[in-house]
Amino acid sequence: MTDSGGSAPEAGVGPVRSRGILEVPGIGLGHAGQFSQARMTGLSVVLPPPGSTVGVDVRGGGPATRETDVIAPGTHSYGADAIVLTGGSAFGLGAVSGVVGTLAEAGRGFPAAGLDGTVIPLVPAAAIFDLGRGDGSVSPPTPDEGALAARAALSAASGATADEAVRGSVGAGLGARSGFQSLRSGLGSFAIRLPGGTVVAALVAANSLGTIGSPAGGLWLDPLLRSYGFGTPAVTGLPAASTEADDRNTTIAIVATDAAMDPAQVTRMAAGAHAGIARAVQPSHTLFDGDTVFGIATGARPLSEGFESSTRELVSITAAAADALSLAILDAHASAAPADAAWRQPPTLSEIAPDFTSAFTAL
C-alpha cells in the first residue's frame, strides 16, 4: 500500500482504472457467457504475449483448477498459451476444451515432438462456484462458449477488433456474488503505474464468501483508498451477511506486469497478490473459497541490474500487484450491472451506494 499523504497521486504514477489489465501491452482478452433470468455464468480468456512467464498461487480451501502444476517453478519453462477464469465450478472447467481447440486451430501451443504441424495449447484455469444463479438449474459455461471467448481474445490481441470489456457483468463475473450471497459482484480490473514506468495490473472474478465492508458503514478497503488520495463518498447500508446462506464461493484473479521475471519471481508476485484479497474481503481464503491468483510477466521491461536493486523492484511490483487486486475487487462490485427485480437477485453496490459507485467508476 502506497502512502501518498492523502494527496492525489502524481500524474502518470499510481492507480489507473481505465483499461485495467489491458494497460499491460500485448495482453489479449475475450469473454463469453449469458446474463439472463435463466442463466448467469460465463468465462474470460486471457492471452499472454508469446514469451511471457507465468505462475500461480492457490490459497483457498476449496479450489477448482486445471493445469496449475505445469506452470509451477521447477517444471518446464514453456509458460501458458492462455489463462482462463470461468464460472461453473468443476463443470465449468470443461469449457476450457473449447479454448484449447480454438488455440490449436490458430497454431498457438507447445510444438508436439515428432508431429509436424501439431501444437498442444497449455491453458491453466480456475473456476468460481456460480451454479444455479439464474433459475436454479446447473448450466455451466460450455466448450462452445470457451471457443467463442478464445476467438474474441485472439481477435482483440491481433488488433482485428476492439478490446473487450475488462469489468462489469461479463465473462467469469456474470454470476459472481459476495458477502454470504448478499451482494452481486462481477469482473473487475485495475492497473498501477510505478515511478519507473512498470505497469502492474489485476483482473478478478470477485465471488468471495466474505464481505467487502460492514453494514454499520465503511469498506475494508477505506484505508487503501485514502492512501491513494481517493476522495470517494462513504459506503453505508451494505446487506447484513447471513451465516445460513449457501457457501458457494471463490475469488480467482490474474495479476500481470510488463516486467521481466523468471517463473519463481512471477509465482512470488502471484503469492504476494493474495494480500490484496485479504485486505478487500473479510473473511478471505476460507475452506469455502478456492482463492487462486495467476501471474503473468510479459518481459518487456528488464529488471534493474544488481541483486539489491532488482530485489527492491520485485518487492515494489509485488506490493503493487496486491493493491491492484484489492482495487479490482472493489471495481468488480462497483461495475456489476443491476438485474431486473423479477430475477430475484441480490442487489449491486451501485443500487446500495450510488454516490460511491459514481465517484469510483469515474476514477
Side-chain angles (χ1 to χ4, degrees):
M1 183 166 64
T2 301
D3 184 2
S4 63
S7 60
E10 177 186 343
V13 174
V16 180
R17 184 172 181 264
S18 190
R19 299 173 66 242
I21 196 169
L22 298 181
E23 294 287 340
V24 178
I27 285 181
L29 175 64
H31 310 291
Q34 184 177 353
F35 184 63
S36 71
Q37 186 174 4
R39 183 171 179 260
M40 301 171 70
T41 192
L43 76 162
S44 300
V45 175
V46 172
L47 302 182
S52 298
T53 54
V54 298
V56 66
D57 189 78
V58 182
R59 296 286 178 97
T65 58
R66 167 189 166 127
E67 290 189 350
T68 52
D69 287 350
V70 77
I71 59 174
T75 60
H76 71 69
S77 58
Y78 173 77
D81 297 292
I83 297 174
V84 174
L85 306 181
T86 183
S89 190
F91 295 121
L93 295 174
V96 180
S97 64
V99 179
V100 171
T102 299
L103 294 181
E105 291 174 1
R108 186 163 181 147
F110 184 78
L115 298 172
D116 289 345
T118 300
V119 295
I120 304 172
L122 299 183
V123 185
I128 65 170
F129 195 120
D130 60 2
L131 295 173
R133 293 181 186 169
D135 62 8
S137 62
V138 177
S139 302
T142 66
D144 285 346
E145 288 174 321
L148 183 63
R151 286 194 292 270
L154 287 166
S155 181
S158 70
T161 57
D163 290 336
E164 294 273 300
V166 297
R167 59 181 57 87
S169 295
V170 295
L174 282 164
R177 296 180 183 175
S178 69
F180 299 84
Q181 320 307 323
S182 65
L183 191 65
R184 284 201 38 253
S185 180
L187 198 72
S189 195
F190 237 95
I192 293 178
R193 294 187 182 277
L194 298 178
T198 299
V199 179
V200 187
L203 178 77
V204 64
N207 188 61
S208 61
L209 177 72
T211 66
I212 60 169
S214 167
L219 299 168
W220 309 132
L221 276 184
D222 281 342
L224 180 65
L225 297 177
R226 288 196 297 269
S227 77
Y228 278 118
F230 294 153
T232 49
V235 172
T236 59
L238 288 173
S242 171
T243 56
E244 296 180 359
D246 293 335
D247 302 315
R248 301 183 292 183
N249 302 96
T250 289
T251 296
I252 53 177
I254 299 169
V255 291
T257 180
D258 57 357
M261 296 182 177
D262 64 30
Q265 291 167 335
V266 73
T267 299
R268 173 54 57 186
M269 177 180 70
H274 275 279
I277 300 177
R279 280 203 300 259
V281 171
Q282 295 185 21
S284 67
H285 302 92
T286 74
L287 291 174
F288 300 113
D289 290 285
D291 297 342
T292 299
V293 179
F294 295 96
I296 298 172
T298 68
R301 286 179 171 271
L303 294 176
S304 303
E305 294 185 3
F307 176 78
E308 183 173 352
S309 295
S310 63
T311 299
R312 288 182 179 275
E313 191 170 356
L314 285 168
V315 170
S316 296
I317 290 170
T318 301
D323 283 1
L325 183 47
S326 288
L327 293 169
I329 290 171
L330 189 51
D331 189 42
H333 287 82
S335 304
D340 188 279
W343 295 14
R344 302 178 66 84
Q345 294 293 320
T348 62
L349 187 61
S350 64
E351 294 170 297
I352 293 169
D355 290 345
F356 171 84
T357 52
S358 293
F360 185 82
T361 56
L363 293 174

